[in-house]
Amino acid sequence: MALRLKAVQYAFPVLTSVTNNTLTNFTQITVYLPEATKTIRKAWVEVTCDDIITVTGGSITTKTINLRLGAASYTSTINGNTTSNTGENISWAFTRDFTSHFTSNWSGASMTCDVQMQINQSTGTTTGMVNACCILYITYEYNDT
């Protein structure tokens, strides 16, 4: 018997567009962690997207990313710090830790996983995001017997 660590990644289908300040769902995925006994050590998501502002660039005031496993309630992470720009288009990368959610809600070998995002651009000539991508990262420990 030996304890091993395994790290896995799951990609959600790309969202071609996200309407400004609207809670938007990524397509639900099923996560498989087939080992019988496991301990979640770390679980987080990385969401990337590009703004569609055509002329003056925009500031983002609120960045919300929510996640849930199965029928559990969403765990919400909100960052209200304004991120300003200097007039250029911007690509964003947001990382959120959901280790506690996985530790509390994971059971069995597979579960559905849902992620939502909401980005509020407070300035700019055209608001919204394109090419929104989400990757789920999980590191867990298991008994290799």
PDB file of all heavy atoms in Angstrom, residues 1-4 37 142-145:
ATOM      1  N   MET A   1       0.838  -1.175   0.000  1.00  0.00           N
ATOM      2  CA  MET A   1       0.000   0.000   0.000  1.00  0.00           C
ATOM      3  C   MET A   1       0.886   1.243   0.000  1.00  0.00           C
ATOM      4  O   MET A   1       1.806   1.360   0.776  1.00  0.00           O
ATOM      5  CB  MET A   1      -0.893  -0.004   1.233  1.00  0.00           C
ATOM      6  CG  MET A   1      -1.614   1.300   1.428  1.00  0.00           C
ATOM      7  SD  MET A   1      -2.671   1.287   2.882  1.00  0.00           S
ATOM      8  CE  MET A   1      -1.704   2.302   3.968  1.00  0.00           C
ATOM      9  N   ALA A   2       0.559   2.144  -0.908  1.00  0.00           N
ATOM     10  CA  ALA A   2       1.290   3.403  -0.974  1.00  0.00           C
ATOM     11  C   ALA A   2       0.326   4.516  -1.357  1.00  0.00           C
ATOM     12  O   ALA A   2      -0.579   4.313  -2.169  1.00  0.00           O
ATOM     13  CB  ALA A   2       2.414   3.314  -1.992  1.00  0.00           C
ATOM     14  N   LEU A   3       0.531   5.673  -0.770  1.00  0.00           N
ATOM     15  CA  LEU A   3      -0.275   6.826  -1.131  1.00  0.00           C
ATOM     16  C   LEU A   3       0.384   7.532  -2.304  1.00  0.00           C
ATOM     17  O   LEU A   3       1.595   7.718  -2.333  1.00  0.00           O
ATOM     18  CB  LEU A   3      -0.408   7.772   0.058  1.00  0.00           C
ATOM     19  CG  LEU A   3      -1.182   7.222   1.253  1.00  0.00           C
ATOM     20  CD1 LEU A   3      -1.219   8.252   2.373  1.00  0.00           C
ATOM     21  CD2 LEU A   3      -2.594   6.816   0.863  1.00  0.00           C
ATOM     22  N   ARG A   4      -0.430   7.878  -3.267  1.00  0.00           N
ATOM     23  CA  ARG A   4       0.051   8.548  -4.478  1.00  0.00           C
ATOM     24  C   ARG A   4      -0.722   9.844  -4.669  1.00  0.00           C
ATOM     25  O   ARG A   4      -1.859   9.981  -4.231  1.00  0.00           O
ATOM     26  CB  ARG A   4      -0.186   7.672  -5.717  1.00  0.00           C
ATOM     27  CG  ARG A   4       0.360   6.280  -5.618  1.00  0.00           C
ATOM     28  CD  ARG A   4       1.830   6.280  -5.873  1.00  0.00           C
ATOM     29  NE  ARG A   4       2.303   4.897  -5.892  1.00  0.00           N
ATOM     30  CZ  ARG A   4       3.515   4.551  -5.601  1.00  0.00           C
ATOM     31  NH1 ARG A   4       4.410   5.455  -5.283  1.00  0.00           N
ATOM     32  NH2 ARG A   4       3.882   3.290  -5.615  1.00  0.00           N
ATOM     33  N   THR A  37     -10.652   5.301  -2.830  1.00  0.00           N
ATOM     34  CA  THR A  37     -10.435   6.155  -1.657  1.00  0.00           C
ATOM     35  C   THR A  37      -9.532   7.304  -2.075  1.00  0.00           C
ATOM     36  O   THR A  37      -8.427   7.082  -2.559  1.00  0.00           O
ATOM     37  CB  THR A  37      -9.762   5.353  -0.522  1.00  0.00           C
ATOM     38  OG1 THR A  37     -10.574   4.223  -0.228  1.00  0.00           O
ATOM     39  CG2 THR A  37      -9.607   6.205   0.710  1.00  0.00           C
ATOM     40  N   TYR A 142      -4.500   9.273  -3.280  1.00  0.00           N
ATOM     41  CA  TYR A 142      -5.251   8.017  -3.263  1.00  0.00           C
ATOM     42  C   TYR A 142      -4.330   6.873  -2.864  1.00  0.00           C
ATOM     43  O   TYR A 142      -3.107   6.967  -2.961  1.00  0.00           O
ATOM     44  CB  TYR A 142      -5.896   7.740  -4.625  1.00  0.00           C
ATOM     45  CG  TYR A 142      -4.897   7.476  -5.722  1.00  0.00           C
ATOM     46  CD1 TYR A 142      -4.584   6.173  -6.091  1.00  0.00           C
ATOM     47  CD2 TYR A 142      -4.264   8.520  -6.381  1.00  0.00           C
ATOM     48  CE1 TYR A 142      -3.642   5.920  -7.082  1.00  0.00           C
ATOM     49  CE2 TYR A 142      -3.333   8.277  -7.373  1.00  0.00           C
ATOM     50  CZ  TYR A 142      -3.035   6.976  -7.722  1.00  0.00           C
ATOM     51  OH  TYR A 142      -2.107   6.727  -8.704  1.00  0.00           O
ATOM     52  N   ASN A 143      -4.930   5.791  -2.444  1.00  0.00           N
ATOM     53  CA  ASN A 143      -4.218   4.573  -2.083  1.00  0.00           C
ATOM     54  C   ASN A 143      -4.114   3.729  -3.343  1.00  0.00           C
ATOM     55  O   ASN A 143      -5.130   3.342  -3.925  1.00  0.00           O
ATOM     56  CB  ASN A 143      -4.991   3.842  -0.986  1.00  0.00           C
ATOM     57  CG  ASN A 143      -4.273   2.612  -0.509  1.00  0.00           C
ATOM     58  OD1 ASN A 143      -3.508   1.996  -1.243  1.00  0.00           O
ATOM     59  ND2 ASN A 143      -4.531   2.232   0.721  1.00  0.00           N
ATOM     60  N   ASP A 144      -2.915   3.390  -3.782  1.00  0.00           N
ATOM     61  CA  ASP A 144      -2.752   2.700  -5.068  1.00  0.00           C
ATOM     62  C   ASP A 144      -3.074   1.200  -5.026  1.00  0.00           C
ATOM     63  O   ASP A 144      -2.931   0.515  -6.025  1.00  0.00           O
ATOM     64  CB  ASP A 144      -1.350   2.926  -5.633  1.00  0.00           C
ATOM     65  CG  ASP A 144      -0.258   2.237  -4.857  1.00  0.00           C
ATOM     66  OD1 ASP A 144      -0.538   1.626  -3.811  1.00  0.00           O
ATOM     67  OD2 ASP A 144       0.907   2.336  -5.288  1.00  0.00           O
ATOM     68  N   THR A 145      -3.547   0.682  -3.889  1.00  0.00           N
ATOM     69  CA  THR A 145      -3.951  -0.717  -3.871  1.00  0.00           C
ATOM     70  C   THR A 145      -5.329  -0.860  -4.478  1.00  0.00           C
ATOM     71  O   THR A 145      -5.797  -1.909  -4.724  1.00  0.00           O
ATOM     72  CB  THR A 145      -3.969  -1.264  -2.434  1.00  0.00           C
ATOM     73  OG1 THR A 145      -4.858  -0.492  -1.644  1.00  0.00           O
ATOM     74  CG2 THR A 145      -2.567  -1.262  -1.845  1.00  0.00           C
TER      75      THR A 145
END
